[in-house]
Amino acid sequence: MTERDPGTSILAGTMAEMTYAEVEAAARSGAVALWAFGVIEQHGPHLPTGTDIYLPAAKLRRTRALLAERGIGAVIVPAYYWGVNHVSGAFPASPRVRPEVMAALMEDVIASLSDDGFRHLFCVTGHGDAEHNRTIYEGVRRGSAGRLIRASFLAETRLVGRLGLAADDPLVTPFEPAPSGPSRPFLDVHAGEWETSAMLATHPALVRDAVLPSLVPTNFGPEDLAEWRRGLEHARRKTPHGYLGDPAAADPELGRRSLEAQAVAMADAIAARIAGG
Ligand SMILES: [Zn+2]
């Protein structure tokens, strides 16, 4: 792997490549801030542990380009990657960070962004764990309380519903991507067809494609998913190889279409939110 091109860095295109003066000018000109929340987590024998960071980072770069076409400036905050693992927590390389650690860090960074002059911040997730996503919401709530910045959790409508949040909660900006792939009879949730497809589309050198044909689909339904979501040793027993879905069916074109549909829906939701004040 050392000789292979690792693909685009998660810092590419972010504030980390800008000077302070450029960031200051962007904030003054009304640029919005975009921030992805991923995790280091096992992703089967074929995907890197940073999958949930690489993918939202790629999505935000595309979202920023789509916003620029609409005349909306955006600064990408370097991705947060010490998210909360519950489901994969019994696997190696899936650190169990306490939610309060993540929420406290979010509060401090959001306060700083507010002081820097940013007035809109959109936080997105790269990781499906419910506890991780509840923590993003909590960090957004704490970070924006009593401050000038309006922060919100930019999240797919089905995730908003799963977390029990109201679609009109001011701390939430829901979005709904257009369907981008065929519907399948079995669930594809973690390191399966869609996630492997998206990694093949954005970071192909990081995918262990030689093992893909040997990965048998899990063919799980909702009851299996409920058992897997109990997490830790339950998840490891349910999916000993770490993936839930059908990685061998991955197709980079499907990955490209799904990332584009999400970026378009995110840019639309951000533009609508800003127009609403
Ligand atoms: Zn993932």
Side-chain angles (χ1 to χ4, degrees):
M1 213 186 72
T2 42
E3 321 81 45
R4 302 168 90 187
D5 176 358
T8 308
S9 153
I10 60 163
L11 294 180
T14 74
M15 182 189 280
E17 292 186 337
M18 300 168 73
T19 67
Y20 87 86
E22 289 163 353
V23 174
E24 184 174 53
R28 278 207 188 119
S29 72
V32 303
L34 309 173
W35 194 7
F37 292 81
V39 73
I40 299 288
E41 180 196 19
Q42 74 78 17
H43 270 74
H46 58 299
L47 294 181
T49 60
T51 294
D52 287 359
I53 310 153
Y54 287 114
L55 291 181
K59 251 182 278 186
L60 286 189
R61 288 193 294 273
R62 181 64 186 135
T63 302
R64 188 180 60 164
L66 292 165
L67 288 171
E69 289 172 10
R70 298 158 181 263
I72 300 170
V75 170
I76 301 175
V77 180
Y80 176 85
Y81 52 84
W82 296 116
V84 177
N85 280 310
H86 172 63
V87 172
S88 285
F91 283 88
S94 310
R96 293 171 298 278
V97 169
R98 285 164 292 159
E100 62 264 32
V101 171
M102 174 170 160
L105 184 137
M106 285 183 70
E107 180 176 0
D108 289 353
V109 175
I110 295 172
S112 303
L113 291 170
S114 187
D115 291 347
D116 289 348
F118 289 98
R119 291 299 167 258
H120 286 280
L121 167 68
F122 296 92
C123 295
V124 303
T125 188
H127 175 50
D129 229 306
E131 195 61 35
H132 174 80
N133 290 297
R134 273 193 272 275
T135 305
I136 295 176
Y137 179 82
E138 174 62 12
V140 161
R141 189 190 67 73
R142 283 203 225 168
S144 52
R147 297 194 172 94
L148 291 174
I149 196 166
R150 273 164 289 177
S152 66
F153 187 4
L154 177 62
E156 281 194 50
T157 45
R158 63 180 173 175
L159 176 61
V160 173
R162 195 180 137 214
L163 296 175
L165 300 171
D168 62 353
D169 184 328
L171 299 177
V172 173
T173 302
F175 70 95
E176 181 73 55
S180 55
S183 63
R184 303 280 194 218
F186 298 108
L187 293 169
D188 192 88
V189 173
H190 180 70
E193 180 185 11
W194 71 265
E195 219 167 10
T196 307
S197 297
M199 283 300 284
L200 285 172
T202 56
H203 300 82
L206 296 180
V207 180
R208 277 52 167 187
D209 45 0
V211 305
L212 286 178
S214 69
L215 303 180
V216 177
T218 51
N219 294 349
F220 282 173
E223 280 178 23
D224 301 297
L225 178 65
E227 172 66 13
W228 181 78
R229 279 188 174 150
R230 291 175 70 197
L232 298 169
E233 68 276 16
H234 302 283
R236 189 149 191 185
R237 209 167 28 237
K238 195 73 194 163
T239 56
H241 304 295
Y243 62 89
L244 198 169
D246 188 6
D251 166 12
E253 192 41 44
L254 174 70
R256 261 186 288 280
R257 280 203 308 272
S258 116
L259 289 172
E260 182 67 12
Q262 290 176 61
V264 166
M266 284 158 58
D268 285 347
I270 291 170
R273 172 91 187 218
I274 291 171

